[in-house]
Amino acid sequence: MAKQLIGEAVNVLLPIIATVLSLGIAWLGKTLNAWLGVKVKNERLRLVLRRMSEVICTVVLELQQTEVAVLKTALDDGSPGGRKITKEEGQILLETALRKVRTYLGVDGLKLLTYVLGFTGEKALNDFLVSRIEATIHTTKNQTTTALVEPVKLETTS
């Protein structure tokens, strides 16, 4: 009698347990798939932003070396570090930097950056790139000034 009751209980419970396990596995698969999607998107965002930062830094340093240095030494007014760059010259340099950044990123890079950051148009992307260029210029200026004011101390091993 007890064996018969246990047998019937197993026959009744087995489909329920199988259904619960199936639902659990389906939920786990869906959750894992969503997690992987977020992970891939975050990794893509990180790589795109790193590439953009590298390009912007390269362009800013390039223009600093080629254009800004030439402009500052031309018609030196005697101020430390050469003459000040005019607003018009600064605007031209900024437009040149933006053009170079867009060229170096390429059409596919710009599309990917627009997609990943969720921009809806060229103006939003350009505004973002200009702000990153200006931030890099600011950082570069401050690092250069700091490096000139505070010499780096090298540790020697004897």
Side-chain angles (χ1 to χ4, degrees):
M1 182 77 164
K3 280 186 171 183
Q4 191 177 6
L5 285 175
I6 292 173
E8 287 179 27
V10 168
N11 287 337
V12 170
L13 292 177
L14 195 57
I16 295 172
I17 292 171
T19 302
V20 169
L21 282 175
S22 296
L23 290 173
I25 291 171
W27 175 83
L28 184 62
K30 184 177 178 182
T31 303
L32 182 62
N33 189 30
W35 179 79
L36 284 174
V38 168
K39 180 96 170 134
V40 167
K41 185 175 181 180
N42 287 343
E43 183 67 15
R44 178 183 252 183
L45 175 61
R46 189 178 64 78
L47 291 173
V48 168
L49 291 176
R50 180 189 298 159
R51 171 76 173 129
M52 180 206 60
S53 293
E54 289 171 355
V55 166
I56 288 173
C57 188
T58 300
V59 167
V60 167
L61 292 174
E62 175 190 351
L63 290 176
Q64 175 68 31
Q65 185 69 28
T66 58
E67 303 291 329
V68 175
V70 171
L71 286 172
K72 281 188 165 188
T73 56
L75 304 171
D76 191 358
D77 63 0
S79 60
R83 74 177 180 90
K84 300 288 182 189
I85 293 177
T86 66
K87 284 186 178 185
E88 293 80 19
E89 291 169 332
Q91 186 61 36
I92 291 169
L93 287 169
L94 186 60
E95 290 167 5
T96 302
L98 179 60
R99 188 174 59 253
K100 284 179 173 271
V101 165
R102 290 181 64 87
T103 300
Y104 291 161
L105 288 174
V107 173
D108 290 340
L110 292 170
K111 283 181 184 176
L112 186 58
L113 192 60
T114 301
Y115 169 75
V116 168
L117 294 175
F119 293 132
T120 56
E122 287 289 314
K123 181 171 179 359
L125 178 61
N126 282 343
D127 290 347
F128 176 75
L129 291 174
V130 165
S131 70
R132 296 299 305 151
I133 291 167
E134 289 176 342
T136 303
I137 291 168
H138 176 74
T139 302
T140 304
K141 282 181 183 178
N142 287 340
Q143 286 176 347
T144 304
T145 304
T146 305
L148 293 176
V149 174
E150 300 174 16
V152 176
K153 295 179 183 177
L154 300 176
E155 293 182 24
T156 58
T157 56
S158 301

